[in-house]
């Protein structure tokens, strides 16, 4: 299971506020198909909401932990029947590493203004 910092979790909660649930888990519970759909949604969106149609809070907590363990995702928030899960895209983490390794760009000369041309 992936872990995230408190400040990153706050940012993710703010981003997830406007999202709609992408996956719904019915009363039959987790199945291989549901886990596959969650994995595909995380691959394309990286931050998703899941709605669980069960009234049992303990079962929802176990679903939350199982989903995060099986998909290698980080738990962000569990409010009522809504679960918010985050897993960064692998391409973006590689791009961030490349940007960190790249040398800094040179500053270009400032643009000339109209007064620069006048006597």
């Amino acid at each position: 299971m992936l872990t995230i910092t408190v400040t990153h979790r706050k940012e993710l909660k703010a981003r997830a506020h406007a999202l709609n649930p992408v996956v719904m888990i019915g009363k039959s519970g987790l199945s291989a198909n549901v886990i596959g759909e969650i994995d595909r949604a995380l691959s394309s969106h990286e931050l998703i909401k899941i709605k669980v149609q069960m009234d049992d809070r303990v079962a929802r907590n176990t679903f939350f932990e199982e989903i995060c363990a099986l998909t290698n995702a980080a738990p962000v928030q569990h409010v009522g029947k809504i679960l918010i899960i985050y897993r960064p895209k692998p391409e973006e983490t590689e791009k961030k590493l490349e940007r960190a390794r790249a040398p800094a760009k040179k500053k270009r000369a400032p643009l000339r203004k109209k007064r620069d041309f006048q006597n």
Side-chain angles (χ1 to χ4, degrees):
M1 186 173 357
L2 186 68
T3 57
I4 53 177
T5 62
V6 175
T7 55
H8 195 215
R9 181 173 283 127
K10 284 182 182 181
E11 292 171 4
L12 292 172
K13 285 181 186 180
R15 277 180 41 200
H17 185 72
L19 297 178
N20 291 326
V22 176
V23 179
M24 292 188 145
I25 300 174
K27 294 186 180 185
S28 61
L30 286 177
S31 65
N33 292 334
V34 173
I35 296 295
E37 189 63 33
I38 292 170
D39 193 41
R40 280 189 290 280
L42 283 170
S43 297
S44 62
H45 297 293
E46 88 177 355
L47 179 67
I48 62 169
K49 274 187 182 178
I50 301 171
K51 186 165 186 173
V52 183
Q53 300 290 337
M54 297 184 89
D55 293 329
D56 187 14
R57 183 169 178 78
V58 176
R60 290 193 307 258
N61 281 334
T62 57
F63 285 164
F64 196 39
E65 293 170 2
E66 285 181 32
I67 290 168
C68 291
L70 292 172
T71 59
N72 194 23
V76 176
Q77 190 176 23
H78 173 204
V79 178
K81 295 183 179 185
I82 301 290
L83 313 174
I84 301 172
I85 296 175
Y86 170 75
R87 183 178 69 189
K89 292 183 182 178
E91 311 91 44
E92 289 187 9
T93 54
E94 291 173 6
K95 288 179 184 177
K96 287 180 184 177
L97 290 174
E98 289 175 8
R99 280 188 228 137
R101 292 183 202 144
K105 293 182 180 179
K106 294 180 182 178
K107 290 186 177 180
R108 68 177 204 178
L111 296 174
R112 295 174 63 178
K113 298 176 184 157
K114 187 175 181 180
R115 287 196 161 206
D116 294 338
F117 296 104
Q118 295 175 352
N119 291 335

